[in-house]
Amino acid sequence: MSHVVRMENISKTFGEVTALRNVDFEVGTNEIVGLLGDNGAGKSTLVKILTGYHQPDPGGRIYWKGDKLEHLSVAKARDLGIEVVYQERALADLQSLWRNIFMGREIANRWGVLNLAEMRNETRRLMTTAMGFTSAAITPESVVGAFSGGERQGVAITRALHFQAELIILDEPTMGLSVTETKKCLEFVTGIKGAGKSAIFIDHNIFHVHPVADRIIVLDRGAVAAQFLKDQISLDGLIEMLSHVARTGGLDADNRTTT
Amino acid sequence: MNSVAEARPISSAAKRGGVARLARKYAMQIAIVIVLLLIWAFFFWRSPRTFGAYDIYNALMSTTPYYALMAIPLTLVIIAKEIDLSFTSIMAWGMAGYDVVFLLFRETNPSLGVWLGFVACLLAGLFAGLLNGLIVVRLGIPSLVATLGTQFFWRGVVLVVTNAQGLGMTPVKATLLYPALVGRLAGRIPMQFVWMIIFAIVTWFFLNRTKFGAHVYLSGDNTESAKLMGVNVGRTKILTFTIVGVAAAFAGFVVSEGVLFLWPTLGEGYLLNTLASVFLGGTSVFGGTGSIFGTFIAALIIAIINPGIVAAGWTAYWTQLIYGGIIVVSVSLQAVLRRRMA
Ligand SMILES: Nc1ncnc2c1ncn2[C@@H]1O[C@H](COP(=O)(O)OP(=O)(O)O)[C@@H](O)[C@H]1O
Ligand SMILES: [Mg+2]
């Protein structure tokens, strides 16, 4: 399988804290990778390196479609097509829907004057085609702070897909969502696969990760504890394996399955 | 209730929704205008002779711009979730730049000296504003502390450079700058008020119709996600501080011309009026929201209180009390409104 992204030997320390230790990680073309792990395992840190937000410690290497990337910045990652839907609030709560959709990518002429009509129309189109907003109460001018959790994730994921992302990173997108909102959010993730894109889906709920992921990687205390194709493991097997990791901090060599 | 709504023709219901939505969207702006009108009506009722004559409005249009010219661009800084306390000293620092350059040409070509001095004044303001931005963004010093420091610093520089001596500004009268900045439009409207309107329109345009403005809102609303989405938050903030620096120097020039004298203490006393205009105008100290229109109207409210109280026949002791009361009540009301709307 060809890879969209490949990270090798990634370590990251924050002062005294070692968040990641020699992690190798890759995402294939049109593959949904589930990233599992306890709180503080280093999941967010790993994806923040991939988005250029953090720099890895020296010795780490990142390849995008086979090309080595030097000094990945947020801007560069976005230009490559890496989009994030963060666990922290990804939206600007006091701003309108259209301002959120076009955050950092406003349509403007060369003098920097905004093309409001085009952004509003595009937002209106996305509301019905991609976000599934049918309520008349929501318009492109609506302030997103009033949206439900599911609607907010819908906005964030739609924003990513709209801008032709190649790789969409979802960091605990279901956190704080109700059951129906979660279902809706998982549908969005499946939609990423359907659109021919790749995704990294982080969640510590296995019941969310297992159905949508092609491959599952388990991080534990900053290191890769296990990885396997979903077809190789059942949900029950996954649960058993995770509790083993939690107990022992890793897997025995014979238990470890690789792709 | 539902059946009534359903029975209405759709277009009227939609229109009603549209009006309600507009009312909600502009609730802050509408509220602030109502506050201004109420205060004005009250003063008019108390002293119709004063408030029925042009004089008072002439006075208001002459002096309100002195701080509104800074409050308007300062709104950008506060929407970006920063603060600037140094503009009062930058007013004087800009004029110190004028002073130095003008004195070089005083004997040979005073008119040229005035113009070059004006340019030096604006450049000095630009430099001071840029420095504020760099200290806050690049060194990561909280703006409250950083600009408190530069406020003292520039005041100190001014006192040293001018040796605490004032400077007559009469040579300005011989140049076009005088009628352009503090003259009368159509013989009636003080030009500084025209500049206040120009500042408001231009700043409004930049805030609401350009990428820069969109980034000002985003920087103040959610810095982290703005950065992640590729907004250059640092550059945006630096630019807002720089704009305030230039505006403060410009205001310093206008004030000095208005009184035809440059005082080394220029700017002292403008801090509270300016900040109060921004906050009273509905700009949130938490960043991410605010309006130029609100600041504009609030500056007028602040301006009207003092003469209103005097005209109403009360002692000026009441000024501060009423002034404080209006600010506290309005800002509290805004907080309630904002919570209602969310
Ligand atoms: N900016 C930071 N500064 C210091 N420590 C950090 C920072 N970001 C993450 N960490 C630490 O790194 C570890 C991994 O965090 P994180 O990647 O957020 O874990 P996860 O997303 O798997 O819950 C934690 O111990 C966390 O406290
Ligand atoms: Mg995390």
Side-chain angles (χ1 to χ4, degrees):
Chain A
M1 183 189 269
S2 64
H3 294 122
V4 180
V5 76
R6 186 185 183 90
M7 302 170 81
E8 289 177 0
N9 195 35
I10 302 291
S11 299
K12 180 71 187 174
T13 46
F14 296 104
E16 302 275 276
V17 182
T18 302
L20 294 171
R21 201 177 306 118
N22 310 108
V23 171
D24 293 329
F25 178 82
E26 64 206 20
V27 181
T29 308
N30 199 209
E31 185 187 34
I32 309 281
V33 174
L35 194 51
L36 277 169
D38 201 355
N39 271 330
K43 307 181 296 292
S44 296
T45 305
L46 183 65
V47 296
K48 279 183 175 169
I49 288 172
L50 189 49
T51 57
Y53 191 78
H54 289 317
Q55 296 303 316
D57 292 347
R61 293 175 298 276
I62 305 174
Y63 299 88
W64 178 256
K65 296 180 176 170
D67 298 329
K68 186 156 189 273
L69 299 175
E70 308 288 349
H71 303 292
L72 186 58
S73 65
V74 173
K76 199 157 148 194
R78 271 165 39 111
D79 287 346
L80 293 173
I82 301 175
E83 280 290 331
V84 206
V85 178
Y86 269 100
Q87 155 186 23
E88 294 97 31
R89 50 190 204 112
L91 305 180
D93 283 344
L94 301 169
Q95 312 305 317
S96 63
L97 177 55
W98 70 262
R99 280 183 186 267
N100 271 283
I101 293 279
F102 289 93
M103 185 189 293
R105 266 179 301 218
E106 297 82 7
I107 301 176
N109 67 15
R110 64 198 166 108
W111 308 108
V113 177
L114 300 176
N115 187 338
L116 297 186
E118 197 174 331
M119 287 189 281
R120 285 190 183 124
N121 288 338
E122 189 60 15
T123 302
R124 202 169 290 120
R125 193 182 66 75
L126 289 172
M127 278 166 55
T128 48
T129 58
M131 289 178 249
F133 288 174
T134 46
S135 158
I138 296 180
T139 74
E141 290 296 334
S142 299
V143 172
V144 299
F147 289 11
S148 75
E151 286 168 343
R152 298 165 60 83
Q153 291 300 2
V155 172
I157 295 171
T158 302
R159 177 169 74 186
L161 282 174
H162 178 65
F163 288 100
Q164 308 292 317
E166 295 272 335
L167 172 66
I168 298 180
I169 298 167
L170 302 111
D171 194 346
E172 305 204 30
T174 62
M175 201 165 73
L177 298 192
S178 70
V179 176
T180 39
E181 284 171 355
T182 299
K183 214 178 126 223
K184 177 118 204 190
C185 180
L186 295 179
E187 276 167 23
F188 277 119
V189 178
T190 322
I192 296 172
K193 174 101 179 159
K197 316 290 186 183
S198 314
I200 300 171
F201 180 42
I202 301 178
D203 208 309
H204 48 228
N205 188 332
I206 349 168
F207 297 99
H208 296 163
V209 176
H210 192 262
V212 296
D214 298 314
R215 190 157 52 92
I216 292 172
I217 297 178
V218 181
L219 270 190
D220 188 69
R221 278 155 264 192
V224 176
Q227 60 173 308
F228 36 79
L229 293 172
K230 186 184 51 188
D231 304 340
Q232 295 173 337
I233 195 162
S234 68
L235 194 49
D236 288 337
L238 179 58
I239 293 168
E240 195 174 310
M241 196 226 53
L242 280 176
S243 32
H244 185 79
V245 169
R247 271 200 317 275
T248 63
L251 285 180
D252 321 323
D254 53 326
N255 249 343
R256 189 187 297 254
T257 328
T258 44
T259 50
Chain B
M1 289 308 273
N2 262 344
S3 61
V4 175
E6 277 158 22
R8 283 171 183 277
I10 287 168
S11 66
S12 128
K15 208 185 286 168
R16 218 168 35 111
V19 171
R21 199 172 290 136
L22 278 182
R24 270 162 73 101
K25 189 171 173 213
Y26 295 108
M28 295 286 188
Q29 278 94 328
I30 294 168
I32 189 90
V33 170
I34 291 174
V35 171
L36 174 63
L37 289 178
L38 285 179
I39 292 174
W40 175 81
F42 176 77
F43 286 142
F44 195 97
W45 169 65
R46 293 289 306 182
S47 50
R49 236 170 11 129
T50 305
F51 280 87
Y54 180 70
D55 268 6
I56 180 92
Y57 302 103
N58 183 40
L60 286 174
M61 286 190 288
S62 302
T63 56
T64 314
Y66 290 164
Y67 56 90
L69 287 173
M70 295 181 288
I72 288 164
L74 184 65
T75 308
L76 301 180
V77 171
I78 297 185
I79 292 175
K81 213 181 189 165
E82 298 293 346
I83 189 129
D84 187 346
L85 302 178
S86 68
F87 56 86
T88 56
S89 295
I90 296 180
M91 289 171 83
W93 156 244
M95 287 312 287
Y98 168 85
D99 191 332
V100 169
V101 171
F102 172 74
L103 290 181
L104 291 177
F105 293 88
R106 177 157 63 178
E107 310 303 334
T108 52
N109 191 344
S111 288
L112 180 68
V114 167
W115 280 101
L116 292 180
F118 179 61
V119 172
C121 168
L122 297 183
L123 287 177
L126 183 137
F127 174 76
L130 182 65
L131 189 70
N132 277 339
L134 290 174
I135 292 173
V136 171
V137 171
R138 299 280 179 254
L139 300 184
I141 314 281
S143 48
L144 185 77
V145 182
T147 60
L148 187 65
T150 54
Q151 183 196 101
F152 280 108
F153 178 76
W154 292 120
R155 181 66 61 194
V157 169
V158 169
L159 294 176
V160 171
V161 168
T162 65
N163 208 7
Q165 299 283 302
L167 176 74
M169 294 282 290
T170 30
V172 181
K173 280 195 113 166
T175 68
L176 260 179
L177 267 178
Y178 189 81
L181 296 184
V182 293
R184 290 274 183 279
L185 182 69
R188 270 185 104 75
I189 314 282
M191 275 309 288
Q192 55 266 48
F193 190 68
V194 175
W195 283 101
M196 176 175 156
I197 294 173
I198 293 173
F199 267 46
I201 293 173
V202 170
T203 312
W204 176 88
F205 180 81
F206 274 97
L207 180 59
N208 294 291
R209 290 290 180 271
T210 68
K211 260 180 120 129
F212 162 68
H215 293 177
V216 168
Y217 279 119
L218 293 169
S219 301
D221 192 347
N222 191 340
T223 308
E224 164 121 6
S225 102
K227 275 186 190 157
L228 291 169
M229 294 303 289
V231 173
N232 194 332
V233 171
R235 197 179 56 193
T236 304
K237 288 185 173 180
I238 290 172
L239 200 48
T240 64
F241 280 107
T242 308
I243 293 169
V244 170
V246 176
F250 182 85
F253 195 88
V254 170
V255 173
S256 305
E257 253 188 88
V259 298
L260 284 174
F261 197 80
L262 162 58
W263 299 95
T265 54
L266 170 68
E268 283 176 8
Y270 284 117
L271 184 66
L272 294 182
N273 279 5
T274 311
L275 286 176
S277 301
V278 178
F279 292 125
L280 185 59
T283 296
S284 166
V285 72
F286 302 112
T289 175
S291 87
I292 300 300
F293 181 77
T295 300
F296 188 95
I297 300 294
L300 292 175
I301 292 178
I302 304 248
I304 206 175
I305 292 174
N306 192 27
I309 283 170
V310 173
W314 299 331
T315 71
Y317 298 141
W318 280 91
T319 310
Q320 305 254 330
L321 192 153
I322 294 183
Y323 189 80
I326 287 177
I327 292 174
V328 171
V329 170
S330 308
V331 172
S332 307
L333 280 177
Q334 285 164 16
V336 172
L337 262 179
R338 209 170 275 137
R339 219 168 301 142
R340 279 269 183 82
M341 288 193 297

